[in-house]
Amino acid sequence: MLALQVLLITVYGLCLLLLLGFSLTQWQLTRLARRVYATSPPPTPPAPAEWPLLTVQLPLYNEPFVVERLIDACAALNYPADRLHVQVLDDSTDETVALAAARVQHHAARGLHITHERRTERSGFKAGALAYGLSRSEGELVAIFDADFLPEPNFLRQTVPHFFGPDSARTGVVQTRWGHLNEDYSLLTELQAFGLNAHFFVEQVGRQAGGHFLNFNGTGGIWRRTCIADAGGWHADTLTEDLDLSYRAQLRGWHFHYLPQVAAPAELPITMDALKSQQFRWTKGAAETARKHLAQVWRSAHPLSTRLHATFHLLNSAVFVAILLMAVLSVPLLFVRALGAEQLRPVFYLASFFLLTLLPLTFYFRTAWQQAARRRPAPAGFAGQLLLFLAFSMGLSLHNSRAVLLGLLGQRSAFIRTPKLGAGASKAAGSGSWRGRRYRTSRLLGGLTLLEGLLAAYFLFGIGAGIYLHEYGLLPTHLLLATGYGLVFYYSLRHA
């Protein structure tokens, strides 16, 4: 019996150590980012004497609700007409084909060099489409926008000069920050924006300041064509082709430049199935990329600090596995602690230690919240948003842990698109309701969703058991877990 108790405590403690390591890396990135924000931003390099040939790639697959606004936005980009080529890479099998063809014809008649590219088969999914487009274009630079993005007219004028500034010959990517078209649509979109803002306002800024590996975020950025070729081109053997190519390019000595001051607005998923499909792709793809590149990162000549940051960067999705293990074990630990044996006193300290792991993350998210508030009205209540975001992230730990384990084990799966529904800035703003629209990505009422509901009940039981046993050290943890799994289960039922 004692051996089992010690095993529970050991596994729980190791999970907490992993969470603490992740939190401390985010804390260091926050310190680096705050130094950047404390200084004046460097001036934008002057426009090049001759604007380079540039291809804008728009990878599409069944996007009838957003395809027209995307093409119109990219047709309005302010760039010399004789140097610009817009490629609509359309793998669609529905009315998106006709909608795209009509907008392409409209803008071509007005003098824009725009082409509608169709493949005979959707091999390689998005990576395959991007590679196919490269074979049919001559652009020295390649901008990429997913279907849910709406770049501002001056996007290219703000970004292209950074490829021609001082010491920029090895600049392979210029990445911009994602904006949010529908952040205020619902609690679901507000929590997504809260998490993404931390990545774009803090993590990417800190990585650049520390000279660490950055990642192209799949869209809202520009590649140098020779960088893509030198790194081996687009590969379709992971679900995050952007992260994969980013690491291959930087391991080849290319540099990435991140511009937090330039935003590329995009639509956030508004339904739980869309969010889960996106989370599955991101977390599984990151694990696949770690499996593919982590050994090479450690064999590289990069500084130890950069290799450590790269390790946490590539394995950050493994945090969900640690959270899930910690969560499941936390209820039995209540009864272990209630036995009252002196040698089991560390349980109490481990429970308190969990709260200490959240302190660096608080610093991290607070910095992002402050930076975001400068660009839009500050949301009411940082503490409330942080607690809800942490709870919601914990509630996704079962779903994301499955994706991580599949990725680490090398099990292949199809590229599941994230539905874009053309949502307005708020429910009142409209642009149509998601209800009744097609292209739902999964059966929300499957076995995994039922398990999420059971886990919500399990942690409610943990709250009650802790109060009954007068063991309050794990009460904050169980409150967050019950809230998070309850939210995920609720939205899964509501959007089913």
Side-chain angles (χ1 to χ4, degrees):
M1 184 64 178
L2 181 59
L4 179 60
Q5 294 167 354
V6 171
L7 178 63
L8 288 174
I9 295 169
T10 301
V11 174
Y12 189 86
L14 290 174
C15 291
L16 285 174
L17 283 175
L18 176 62
L19 292 177
L20 180 62
F22 172 75
S23 297
L24 289 176
T25 59
Q26 304 306 92
W27 175 73
Q28 188 189 23
L29 292 176
T30 306
R31 293 181 63 211
L32 292 169
R34 288 175 74 91
R35 291 176 189 171
V36 172
Y37 289 125
T39 60
S40 300
T44 300
E50 181 180 18
W51 291 92
L53 289 172
L54 186 143
T55 299
V56 177
Q57 293 188 321
L58 311 178
L60 299 174
Y61 179 67
N62 294 347
E63 306 289 0
F65 306 116
V66 295
V67 59
E68 293 173 302
R69 74 179 190 183
L70 168 70
I71 294 174
D72 290 345
C74 291
L77 288 168
N78 181 8
Y79 201 77
D82 62 333
R83 314 298 289 171
L84 180 66
H85 175 201
V86 178
Q87 270 190 332
V88 181
L89 305 174
D90 188 6
D91 286 345
S92 301
T93 58
D94 66 354
E95 67 265 36
T96 302
V97 179
L99 294 172
R103 297 316 296 164
V104 168
Q105 183 179 14
H106 169 79
H107 291 295
R110 299 175 61 195
L112 178 66
H113 182 198
I114 181 170
T115 56
H116 189 200
E117 309 287 351
R118 297 274 295 155
R119 297 191 292 165
T120 56
E121 60 178 15
R122 195 183 172 221
S123 59
F125 304 106
K126 180 181 175 182
L130 295 173
Y132 177 80
L134 279 179
S135 71
R136 299 174 64 83
S137 69
E138 299 179 352
E140 176 186 346
L141 301 179
V142 182
I144 300 172
F145 297 104
D146 283 349
D148 50 334
F149 274 69
L150 286 178
E152 300 288 345
N154 284 331
F155 180 90
L156 298 178
R157 297 273 181 174
Q158 293 174 299
T159 51
V160 169
H162 291 274
F163 285 98
F164 301 94
D167 304 318
S168 61
R170 292 293 290 178
T171 297
V173 169
V174 173
Q175 174 69 54
T176 64
R177 173 174 55 85
W178 292 4
H180 313 299
L181 293 169
N182 60 331
E183 177 175 352
D184 298 324
Y185 187 89
S186 67
L187 176 62
L188 199 61
T189 57
E190 288 176 8
L191 294 178
Q192 290 176 73
F194 187 80
L196 286 170
N197 284 344
H199 172 72
F200 285 103
F201 280 114
V202 180
E203 188 174 342
Q204 290 283 65
V205 174
R207 290 188 187 283
Q208 178 165 259
H212 304 315
F213 284 89
L214 287 166
N215 61 292
F216 171 65
N217 291 107
T219 175
I222 305 177
W223 282 87
R224 193 188 294 271
R225 187 190 189 98
T226 51
C227 173
I228 297 175
D230 183 59
W234 294 103
H235 291 181
D237 56 350
T238 75
L239 292 183
T240 47
E241 74 293 324
D242 47 359
L243 182 61
D244 169 39
L245 184 57
S246 296
Y247 266 78
R248 283 189 279 120
Q250 289 168 102
L251 286 168
R252 293 281 298 169
W254 290 93
H255 305 296
F256 285 22
H257 192 64
Y258 176 61
L259 301 177
Q261 68 272 24
V262 180
E267 176 185 325
L268 295 163
I270 62 174
T271 61
M272 182 55 73
D273 66 313
L275 175 59
K276 281 186 172 180
S277 70
Q278 185 184 74
Q279 287 288 308
F280 181 89
R281 192 172 67 249
W282 288 355
T283 53
K284 183 174 186 287
E288 290 171 331
T289 306
R291 190 172 185 266
K292 183 176 179 180
H293 293 303
L294 200 51
Q296 189 177 357
V297 167
W298 278 98
R299 289 195 298 266
S300 71
H302 287 87
L304 176 62
S305 61
T306 295
R307 284 178 283 164
L308 284 171
H309 272 281
T311 301
F312 278 101
H313 186 198
L314 290 174
L315 291 176
N316 63 359
S317 56
V319 167
F320 290 105
V321 179
I323 290 173
L324 180 62
L325 279 173
M326 180 202 72
V328 172
L329 294 177
S330 63
V331 175
L333 281 174
L334 280 173
F335 297 94
V336 170
R337 169 61 181 157
L339 294 176
E342 284 300 313
Q343 63 268 32
L344 301 178
R345 186 171 293 276
V347 175
F348 175 79
Y349 298 111
L350 284 173
S352 302
F353 184 62
F354 172 68
L355 298 179
L356 295 179
T357 67
L358 299 183
L359 292 179
L361 284 181
T362 301
F363 188 46
Y364 170 73
F365 285 109
R366 177 73 181 182
T367 300
W369 185 79
Q370 289 171 333
Q371 293 302 319
R374 295 180 183 179
R375 292 159 176 81
R376 62 184 300 276
F382 165 76
Q385 276 203 317
L386 174 63
L387 290 173
L388 273 176
F389 174 78
L390 291 175
F392 190 70
S393 298
M394 291 177 178
L396 286 169
S397 61
L398 175 64
H399 174 272
N400 288 353
S401 291
R402 174 176 173 270
V404 172
L405 294 175
L406 290 175
L408 291 176
L409 292 172
Q411 184 168 328
R412 300 298 297 273
S413 56
F415 186 101
I416 305 298
R417 61 186 287 281
T418 302
K420 294 92 177 178
L421 302 179
S426 65
K427 291 181 180 178
S431 295
S433 168
W434 59 267
R435 293 188 182 278
R437 292 197 166 184
R438 302 184 309 283
Y439 308 116
R440 308 304 295 278
T441 61
S442 63
R443 290 178 62 250
L444 283 179
L445 295 184
L448 210 62
T449 297
L450 295 177
L451 279 176
E452 287 165 345
L454 289 173
L455 282 172
Y458 177 70
F459 297 120
L460 285 173
F461 168 76
I463 293 171
I467 294 172
Y468 176 78
L469 296 170
H470 302 291
E471 296 292 344
Y472 302 108
L474 287 166
L475 184 59
T477 305
H478 288 152
L479 284 170
L480 288 173
L481 288 165
T483 301
Y485 274 99
L487 281 172
V488 170
F489 184 61
Y490 165 74
Y491 278 114
S492 296
L493 292 178
R494 181 179 175 184
H495 295 164

